[in-house]
Amino acid sequence: MKTKLIISLLIWFVISAFLFNSSDRTNINGNNQNPTVFSGDKLFIIGSVANGSYNDYSGFLEANLNTWHRYSTYEKDQTNHYLYPIGWNSLDIISNPINVYKQSILDKMDINASYNLYTYLMRPKIEYLCYGQHSVYQCEPLAEDPDNNATDWFYSYYDHETGAPVQDGGRTVMYCSVNNDNHNEGYVVKNLKSNRELCNRVVTNLTQDNMYDWYILPAIKVPQDIGDETRVCRIEIIGWNGNTVSTMELKGKNFKVQNYYSGDYQEEFNFNTGSYLPFKITAEEAENFNPDEQGWWKIELDCQFDIRVKWYKETDMWIDYVKVENKMAYDLLKGGHDDWIQEEAEAFGIYTQGKPYKFYVEEVEYNNLPCISYVNSKLSSYGQSVLCVPYLNIPPMNNRWIDFKTPKKASVYSNTGLTEIFSSYYPLNAHKFSIHNFGKPSYVPNTFEGYSYDMTQGKLGYPVPPAEYEQNLESLLDDTRLFDLKTSQELSKSSGKPFNFMVQAHSWLNPAELNNEDEIYSLREPTNEEIEMMVGVGLTYGAKGIIYFSYNSGGDYNSHNGKYSYTKGLLEYDTPNITKRTLNVYGENKWAKVVEINQKLKHWEQYLINFNDQNTKSYKYHIAAERNDLTQNTFIKELKTYPNGDPANCPQTDFDYNIPDPENSTFLQTGIFKNTSEPYSIYFMLVNKRCSPGRNACSGTRKIKSTIFSDVFFNHFNNWEIINLQDNSIIATFNKKQANNIDFGWFNPGEGKLYKVAPVMVEGGTFVCDEVVNGLTFDCKAQVYTGTHNLDINGATIYFLDQSQ
């Protein structure tokens, strides 16, 4: 994503959602379009974020992309310090009425549709509203539940110096009684658990916490007959360093308007204005939440940010929670921008001629989700929703991150109206950054000519011999902090929502001084083989779309003010003619490889989009538990990978593959799939996860062999054939009752292949449906093909399924 400044460090599970309802569409010339839509109006996504800033439609066509996306830019209002998004042109801003920019947006959508591209709607007004932050910190003690996270226990306080929890009208609140000798003057609540939510000073987009006004809304009740000058409590806002940001004194008169108070819980108060208003912290004051701009994700640092409530023991007080909202959330959740949502949905969200996708926003934090839920509740009546990547782990606390488990994540999707899982894992960190933050090196094979570690040239991986590299690569993929598509698959199954996979295809270096990048978020550029491998692994877990981050590049390799900063995607940087990145830092043609991968995806999409998620499972063969699950519960009983020659004699180039890799270093990913509309067929995929380039014994090239048989998986019929779906060639024919040794041939480094297993069909001859002839049963559910043959029923040739021995 655009703001991948800390994603690997934070280890956040990224996800998001959209469903698409397709119908016939017309382009700007009035010609009917034929989008890549299959049964059930489903679309397999082949995309790349940030391609919309370039009118590179010939490039989109060459790469088989079917989605268009453009990031917002941002501008700070110098008067009120607010940060605002700017959309697809200078008129596309939140302060303009929709009629000012509407036609320009529709025109762009029409152009995209004419090239058969669906448009991600990254719209400034929707984006602005979705970044509303809403947190409700409960005042009563909440027991920690880090294993299940069934409740938001982390939205509470560690310390309660006075008061006690009680039930009050269905609420659990803290009650402070002047008549209780154990209730002394002091802090009812102190030391927030999730104490970093308002401390984000990373200068990226609308997640910055110092760009907006904040509203502190404590739910407090006092006796209805309270005296005007009776002190109730003091609200204290404490910054990162223990500095006092602001305080609010509440007296009896603050609960009254025109000398009347209902006696109910009050979130807003009368500050001598004659009406109830919230306790406000201005954007300028919010600078003091984190005045030294500490990395709020650095959980080892002692963050002292707090919102405390001190009781004076001059009157009884009941306090339920302390709610915190930024300006966007405060306005939105009161219905203040319903017109924006309606106008954007009606103008663009349902403009089917322009092929709209969902309303896209970038990475969002946990306390953005209530606003996204609100926006989705309005968009749903238009058949639309927000597409986003939420950080679904507990907001950071001092000294720990605690990830949400799958049931909690599934409940988030249900509650927010997100309709598709959107996973983004970037496992290939720069070498020094990876060691510093994960205790793991990040190697590349030393077979790339002239390659050596050099931060000033974008070379952020450390070269080692291929065998050492392969082990390291697998350790990175096995680290669920870095790469966890299994959870994506589980969440997809439990929620019933499909997921798309955003693949790391880029390098990234935040501003770093020379040889001082170990603490600076950085990613090394993937090799071509690694990109292909990650795509294939994503497919084995059931991904219904592949999106590359990213189309564009940014920054050169020169020093700027003593620091280096860059990112390298599919294009070169700062070139007026949309130059493709034909040479990555390893000397490989990156653009050509992505085109090649996407051609394969285009060929496979008719199968991939129709695989049933509930029947999809992926296995890592080198992991004993997953290997046993595969061999005991599927038709694949054994897999073996053979090097191209003896690795001990590198670089031997003969084809002596008699000795297979050990099981614990058989780096294969296997996916098993089912299309429920094909009751007699099974699909599977093999991905060679060894990525050292070349064809010699030192490379990742592998011959793959397997033992296949199963009475359970192959129902009804005995004789089956394995079809390579890339060219529809028949790899083997086998009898299910025998142990069949199948040779799948050579796999290039990182290569994946998709196969179909189908019953053998024999010509009909004189047989008729369901007839038993010579003891052989023939099934009339066989597929029907047009043509001329011995058996002709209503002009169609019948092929029977062979159940013979």
Side-chain angles (χ1 to χ4, degrees):
M1 316 303 292
K2 184 180 182 182
T3 60
K4 289 290 179 187
L5 303 174
I6 50 176
I7 188 67
S8 288
L9 176 61
L10 301 184
I11 314 144
W12 280 344
F13 183 63
V14 286
I15 326 169
S16 99
F18 54 83
L19 292 175
F20 185 80
N21 298 319
S22 359
S23 58
D24 291 337
R25 287 163 172 78
T26 306
N27 70 5
I28 56 177
N29 298 315
N31 299 320
N32 290 331
Q33 295 295 298
N34 296 303
T36 310
V37 176
F38 300 103
S39 61
D41 292 337
K42 294 179 287 188
L43 172 72
F44 187 88
I45 296 170
I46 306 175
S48 179
V49 293
N51 62 344
S53 298
Y54 308 90
N55 292 316
D56 188 19
Y57 290 98
S58 61
F60 306 156
L61 180 64
E62 181 184 9
N64 278 302
L65 302 183
N66 57 20
T67 57
W68 181 97
H69 167 264
R70 180 171 181 167
Y71 278 113
S72 300
T73 57
Y74 303 94
E75 183 175 70
K76 188 174 183 180
D77 187 315
Q78 297 304 317
T79 300
N80 57 22
H81 296 270
Y82 296 164
L83 191 70
Y84 292 117
I86 302 173
W88 301 354
N89 55 62
S90 60
L91 299 177
D92 190 15
I93 56 179
I94 67 173
S95 59
N96 277 340
I98 192 170
N99 64 293
V100 173
Y101 57 82
K102 176 179 177 180
Q103 192 57 51
S104 66
I105 303 305
L106 295 178
D107 290 345
K108 189 61 179 178
M109 292 177 66
D110 283 339
I111 293 172
N112 293 342
S114 72
Y115 287 93
N116 207 24
L117 294 167
Y118 295 87
T119 298
Y120 286 107
L121 298 172
M122 195 164 191
R123 308 292 312 122
K125 290 178 179 176
I126 299 298
E127 180 186 9
Y128 175 83
L129 297 178
C130 286
Y131 280 112
Q133 296 188 53
H134 167 97
S135 302
V136 179
Y137 304 121
Q138 296 296 328
C139 291
E140 72 275 11
L142 294 181
E144 295 197 5
D145 180 27
D147 292 331
N148 299 309
N149 302 309
T151 65
D152 285 358
W153 61 268
F154 42 87
Y155 269 8
S156 60
Y157 289 83
Y158 287 114
D159 298 332
H160 305 79
E161 294 179 355
T162 190
V166 299
Q167 291 294 313
D168 183 35
R171 302 176 182 227
T172 302
V173 303
M174 288 297 287
Y175 172 50
C176 300
S177 171
V178 295
N179 297 318
N180 189 325
D181 292 339
N182 293 323
H183 294 183
N184 300 314
E185 178 181 352
Y187 288 100
V188 187
V189 289
K190 185 178 180 181
N191 290 335
L192 268 173
K193 293 176 181 175
S194 299
N195 65 336
R196 296 161 179 255
E197 286 193 307
L198 280 64
C199 296
N200 187 354
R201 293 292 299 276
V202 175
V203 182
T204 53
N205 56 12
L206 302 184
T207 59
Q208 297 173 78
D209 293 333
N210 59 320
M211 294 296 177
Y212 310 99
D213 297 339
W214 287 89
Y215 301 98
I216 313 301
L217 305 160
I220 298 174
K221 184 176 78 170
V222 295
Q224 192 170 11
D225 60 355
I226 187 172
D228 285 356
E229 296 303 318
T230 301
R231 294 188 305 170
V232 178
C233 64
R234 181 173 71 240
I235 313 295
E236 301 174 356
I237 313 300
I238 308 299
W240 183 290
N241 300 321
N243 53 301
T244 299
V245 176
S246 185
T247 62
M248 176 180 70
E249 298 281 350
L250 286 180
K251 296 181 178 181
K253 62 183 179 182
N254 302 121
F255 287 77
K256 302 174 183 179
V257 170
Q258 297 181 350
N259 205 35
Y260 173 76
Y261 164 55
S262 67
D264 294 332
Y265 285 89
Q266 200 70 32
E267 293 183 353
E268 300 182 358
F269 305 92
N270 180 8
F271 301 107
N272 300 318
T273 59
S275 61
Y276 291 120
L277 293 173
F279 173 26
K280 179 179 176 181
I281 307 292
T282 67
E284 190 171 14
E285 290 176 308
E287 296 276 349
N288 294 314
F289 289 166
N290 187 359
D292 295 335
E293 301 187 20
Q294 298 282 10
W296 61 274
W297 63 90
K298 293 184 177 180
I299 59 176
E300 72 278 6
L301 299 181
D302 181 22
C303 174
Q304 299 178 59
F305 181 90
D306 206 1
I307 304 176
R308 303 168 181 170
V309 181
K310 183 176 182 179
W311 179 59
Y312 287 117
K313 198 171 182 173
E314 294 183 9
T315 182
D316 288 353
M317 182 184 77
W318 296 257
I319 180 168
D320 188 0
Y321 52 76
V322 177
K323 181 190 300 181
V324 180
E325 294 178 340
N326 64 2
K327 176 177 173 55
M328 298 96 92
Y330 183 80
D331 294 340
L332 172 69
L333 299 178
K334 289 181 178 293
H337 290 302
D338 288 357
D339 56 334
W340 283 9
I341 303 172
Q342 179 179 349
E343 289 172 352
E344 292 283 322
E346 291 178 344
F348 313 121
I350 61 174
Y351 182 57
T352 56
Q353 177 176 318
K355 293 188 176 180
Y357 230 53
K358 296 301 176 184
F359 287 89
Y360 183 92
V361 297
E362 263 298 326
E363 300 137 327
V364 298
E365 300 173 24
Y366 188 70
N367 64 352
N368 295 134
L369 297 179
C371 289
I372 290 173
S373 178
Y374 185 94
V375 172
N376 272 336
S377 70
K378 303 297 181 182
L379 290 176
S380 62
S381 61
Y382 300 94
Q384 271 286 4
S385 69
V386 170
L387 165 65
C388 69
V389 179
Y391 295 158
L392 288 185
N393 64 331
I394 290 175
M397 297 173 274
N398 287 343
N399 300 313
R400 60 175 168 171
W401 290 91
I402 305 177
D403 289 334
F404 287 154
K405 301 301 186 291
T406 298
K408 177 70 171 180
K409 293 174 181 175
S411 71
V412 166
Y413 282 94
S414 176
N415 295 334
T416 58
L418 298 174
T419 53
E420 185 166 305
I421 315 304
F422 196 88
S423 296
S424 151
Y425 283 107
Y426 303 159
L428 306 179
N429 290 281
H431 177 63
K432 292 183 179 180
F433 180 83
S434 189
I435 290 177
H436 183 271
N437 293 284
F438 301 104
K440 293 175 178 288
S442 185
Y443 294 149
V444 295
N446 64 1
T447 52
F448 292 114
E449 184 176 354
Y451 180 94
S452 61
Y453 184 93
D454 187 347
M455 187 191 79
T456 69
Q457 296 299 313
K459 300 176 180 180
L460 298 175
Y462 191 81
V464 296
E468 191 174 356
Y469 156 74
E470 302 287 5
Q471 290 287 344
N472 170 245
L473 176 62
E474 197 60 50
S475 74
L476 298 176
L477 299 177
D478 287 344
D479 191 329
T480 56
R481 299 172 299 171
L482 301 173
F483 199 72
D484 191 17
L485 291 181
K486 184 175 183 180
T487 295
S488 302
Q489 182 187 55
E490 291 173 350
L491 182 58
S492 178
K493 289 182 178 182
S494 65
S495 66
K497 306 176 194 304
F499 87 89
N500 293 332
F501 177 35
M502 184 174 285
V503 177
Q504 178 184 349
H506 67 300
S507 63
W508 188 290
L509 177 66
N510 280 320
E513 296 176 350
L514 183 63
N515 298 321
N516 189 33
E517 68 275 21
D518 55 338
E519 293 189 26
I520 307 299
Y521 177 73
S522 49
L523 300 169
R524 68 171 178 82
E525 186 169 24
T527 67
N528 283 353
E529 294 78 10
E530 289 169 337
I531 294 175
E532 183 173 15
M533 176 272 297
M534 288 187 288
V535 168
V537 171
L539 297 180
T540 70
Y541 283 105
K544 295 298 189 248
I546 296 295
I547 302 96
Y548 300 95
F549 190 91
S550 63
Y551 202 76
N552 64 341
S553 294
D556 54 34
Y557 291 137
N558 297 320
S559 172
H560 298 275
N561 298 318
K563 294 185 177 181
Y564 296 85
S565 178
Y566 46 77
T567 179
K568 302 300 176 184
L570 303 185
L571 297 183
E572 293 294 355
Y573 169 62
D574 200 22
T575 52
N577 58 344
I578 324 175
T579 302
K580 308 301 186 291
R581 190 159 172 78
T582 55
L583 288 178
N584 61 19
V585 294
Y586 312 102
E588 301 174 305
N589 190 326
K590 186 175 189 175
W591 174 261
K593 171 54 72 170
V594 170
V595 168
E596 174 193 319
I597 295 169
N598 290 353
Q599 288 173 341
K600 188 181 294 187
L601 292 175
K602 184 74 174 177
H603 186 76
W604 288 347
E605 61 186 345
Q606 59 186 305
Y607 309 108
L608 299 170
I609 200 64
N610 288 307
F611 291 153
N612 181 276
D613 293 334
Q614 298 301 320
N615 296 117
T616 295
K617 194 162 184 181
S618 186
Y619 307 84
K620 298 177 180 180
Y621 199 81
H622 72 285
I623 302 295
E626 296 192 28
R627 178 171 66 248
N628 292 337
D629 189 9
L630 172 70
T631 58
Q632 295 175 16
N633 297 308
T634 79
F635 55 90
I636 295 177
K637 302 307 177 185
E638 186 180 51
L639 283 167
K640 291 184 180 297
T641 57
Y642 296 82
N644 180 4
D646 182 2
N649 297 318
C650 269
Q652 184 177 331
T653 57
D654 62 42
F655 282 72
D656 178 13
Y657 46 86
N658 293 321
I659 303 176
D661 295 311
E663 287 185 328
N664 62 2
S665 59
T666 299
F667 298 145
L668 278 182
Q669 194 88 23
T670 304
I672 307 291
F673 315 100
K674 185 72 175 176
N675 182 344
T676 53
S677 66
E678 300 180 43
Y680 300 121
S681 297
I682 300 171
Y683 295 81
F684 68 99
M685 188 171 187
L686 299 175
V687 180
N688 175 19
K689 290 194 286 182
R690 291 181 177 271
C691 293
S692 297
R695 291 284 296 177
N696 62 29
C698 294
S699 77
T701 300
R702 287 296 186 271
K703 178 179 277 287
I704 300 178
K705 294 184 178 182
S706 177
T707 302
I708 288 179
F709 70 93
S710 174
D711 277 339
V712 177
F713 266 75
F714 303 125
N715 294 326
H716 303 297
F717 311 104
N718 289 335
N719 294 319
W720 297 73
E721 59 190 11
I722 302 174
I723 305 166
N724 183 337
L725 292 178
Q726 188 61 29
D727 57 11
N728 292 322
S729 60
I730 297 176
I731 299 298
T733 301
F734 66 91
N735 186 304
K736 72 176 183 180
K737 295 183 178 296
Q738 302 170 0
N740 300 272
N741 297 317
I742 310 297
D743 187 341
F744 290 99
W746 290 99
F747 280 60
N748 292 325
E751 185 177 15
K753 297 181 183 181
L754 182 64
Y755 300 95
K756 178 178 180 178
V757 188
V760 173
M761 296 182 182
V762 297
E763 296 178 8
T766 59
F767 306 134
V768 295
C769 289
D770 293 327
E771 184 176 0
V772 176
V773 179
N774 295 328
L776 304 180
T777 302
F778 296 91
D779 191 335
C780 67
K781 294 180 181 178
Q783 299 184 42
V784 178
Y785 297 84
T786 59
T788 302
H789 219 282
N790 292 338
L791 182 60
D792 190 294
I793 300 178
N794 296 326
T797 301
I798 307 301
Y799 287 79
F800 292 103
L801 301 177
D802 183 9
Q803 283 190 298
S804 67
Q805 297 295 320

